[in-house]
Amino acid sequence: MATLWCALATALLSALLLGDGLGVNLLIVAAPATLAAYFAARAAGRRLRPWTAVWAVGGLALLLVPALRDAGWPTFLAVVSAMAVGSLALHGGRTWPGVVLGPVGVLDSLVTGPVWGWRGLRERAAGSRGRWGPVLRASAVAVLLLLVFGALFAGADAAFADLLGQLTPDVSGVHAPWRFLLFLVGLAGALAAAHTAAAPLRWDRLTLRQGRARGRFEWALPLIVLDLLFAAFIAVQLAVLFGGYDKVLRETGLTYAEYARQGFWQLLWATLLTLVVIGLALRWAPRGEARDSALVRAVLGTLCVLTLVVVASALRRMDLYVDAYGLTRLRISVAAMELWLGLVLVLIIAAGLLGSRWLPRAVAGSAAAAVLAFGLGSPDALVAERNVQRFESTGKIDVRYLRDLSADAVPALDALPEPVRSCALKDIESALRESEQSWYDTSWGQARAREILEKRPASAGGSSCPEYGRYGGGGDEYTRDGYGEDADLDDFDPGTGMD
């Protein structure tokens, strides 16, 4: 019955709180759903293990991102990651099949969970019919008293009426179908989580058949050649570092932007492909003798260490690129991904030295931690801060791009001088004014932005903003169509307005 009540609470909160937007309401709805899974697992005889607690706490922590940040893209990553981490808490995956296939079991329970819940409800209702009457009568009387006296107090005091209006969701008939759908989704989701916790699919029992071991020469020669190629590339990078970029640009004929941008993307793909190569190599690695294990560790360990240097080189190129042309959402996202790939390589090296039983959960945990740090770090605010710093040092700024940032960027953009400040903030201010929200679907970033803009609104002078942006410290304005995050200004000289 505890599982049933928690599932009903999840459904009711979903209908009341999730209809208008995302904020702390996701965390509020997830709390009774988590309790439903806990009670169901306990009734089924499952014990709370340390890793289960880690995944459960991690999944709830990820839901802090929509409560604190206004930007939609970190929120999306955090919600998806919270669902994946929650599936690990329900299934208890330890192996690669358990980690990768765990969410599939939760999707299956979306059908079986409600059926399981309905059967349990019928069984318990048959033996406790005499107790349902008092519960329903007491609930009806409580609701009636709240409605009557709440309406009287609201009519007696305008301040109380305003407070009541902010705290209570809109339950008008216009939104009734939408809220009923949310009720069903919340109920099905809570019952699916509870059913999975009570009867998880044991993905860990699946075994991956190892590939046929290859001979030492056949297996090691390609990887040794790859190690040598990586070493040669790193030697060139060291030469560039000490010899300077100007010499390289003269010899290659590339522009500064082309060298930095293309180099980063190529190195990112090299890092991803290296992880694929390592996985395939381990599948066919020789496993017969101790010398074979030593050879595997030596060759793949060297490749991992060299790839870490490639990761450092890619991040250095991105840093130079951002110094020259500013920070964007795309650039900060791929840089964060490159950092996480470097962490995965470190984990692989540690697994080669200490054993690999813990590696699947460590990789999954590092991914969830990276998404959480990325969201709480407020990427939109970092983008705004970096571009404001660049404007202060160079007098160059892409106002049109900054207009598309979320409310998280307002504190940093508030430091800009007029009229650039108003040009950058007017669209954000307009969006905040049009989307009046309740306390439960308003993020801390939105609340902070509204407070700043109420004290110092974007002035009416924003109408004189250039259509495509403002560049240069002397007040000259230059325009160019179609630029932004995906169409860079990298080869556009703001000082001359010429390619």
Side-chain angles (χ1 to χ4, degrees), residues 171-184:
V171 290
S172 59
V174 178
H175 302 99
W178 171 237
R179 295 192 181 278
F180 180 68
L181 177 61
L182 290 174
F183 179 89
L184 295 179

Side-chain angles (χ1 to χ4, degrees), residues 62 73 83 97 124 135 148 205 209 232 241 249 341:
L62 283 163
W73 52 301
M83 295 174 63
R124 283 153 181 78
V135 171
V148 172
R205 295 175 181 173
R209 186 166 55 91
L241 179 63
L249 297 182
L341 292 175

Side-chain angles (χ1 to χ4, degrees), residues 216-230 274 277-278 280-282 285-286 295-296 299-300 302-303 306:
R216 293 174 188 166
F217 180 82
E218 180 184 1
W219 174 86
L221 179 61
L223 293 179
I224 292 175
V225 171
L226 185 61
D227 285 345
L228 294 175
L229 177 62
F230 271 64
T274 299
V277 168
I278 292 172
L280 295 176
L282 288 173
L295 178 64
V296 170
V299 174
L300 293 184
T302 301
L303 181 60
L306 293 175

Side-chain angles (χ1 to χ4, degrees), residues 99 175 184 240 244 426 484 498:
V99 169
H175 302 99
L184 295 179
V240 171
K426 67 173 187 176
M498 299 173 60

Side-chain angles (χ1 to χ4, degrees), residues 110-314:
L110 288 174
V111 177
T112 59
V115 176
W116 168 78
W118 174 249
R119 288 175 180 172
L121 178 62
R122 289 183 59 185
E123 291 174 2
R124 283 153 181 78
S128 58
R129 298 193 178 193
R131 294 197 299 253
W132 283 101
V135 171
L136 293 176
R137 287 193 295 270
S139 300
V141 171
V143 171
L144 179 63
L145 292 175
L146 285 175
L147 292 176
V148 172
F149 285 94
L152 289 174
F153 289 145
D157 187 85
F160 182 79
D162 183 65
L163 176 63
L164 199 63
Q166 293 179 5
L167 293 179
T168 55
D170 179 17
V171 290
S172 59
V174 178
H175 302 99
W178 171 237
R179 295 192 181 278
F180 180 68
L181 177 61
L182 290 174
F183 179 89
L184 295 179
V185 170
L187 182 62
L191 290 175
H195 185 226
T196 305
L201 296 175
R202 300 296 184 180
W203 297 107
D204 287 336
R205 295 175 181 173
L206 293 177
T207 57
L208 298 177
R209 186 166 55 91
Q210 288 186 326
R212 183 173 62 87
R214 308 291 179 176
R216 293 174 188 166
F217 180 82
E218 180 184 1
W219 174 86
L221 179 61
L223 293 179
I224 292 175
V225 171
L226 185 61
D227 285 345
L228 294 175
L229 177 62
F230 271 64
F233 175 80
I234 291 170
V236 172
Q237 294 301 293
L238 293 175
V240 171
L241 179 63
F242 292 105
Y245 282 92
D246 293 337
K247 179 181 178 181
V248 175
L249 297 182
R250 287 195 303 268
E251 293 176 354
T252 60
L254 296 174
T255 66
Y256 185 88
E258 291 171 342
Y259 186 79
R261 178 178 66 246
Q262 294 178 2
F264 173 80
W265 287 108
Q266 304 292 354
L267 296 181
L268 176 62
W269 278 109
T271 306
L272 289 170
L273 291 176
T274 299
L275 294 176
V276 176
V277 168
I278 292 172
L280 295 176
L282 288 173
R283 180 173 175 81
W284 291 312
R287 300 177 284 272
E289 303 176 6
R291 289 184 300 175
D292 293 331
S293 298
L295 178 64
V296 170
R297 286 196 296 268
V299 174
L300 293 184
T302 301
L303 181 60
C304 288
V305 171
L306 293 175
T307 307
L308 282 176
V309 181
V310 172
V311 169
S313 177

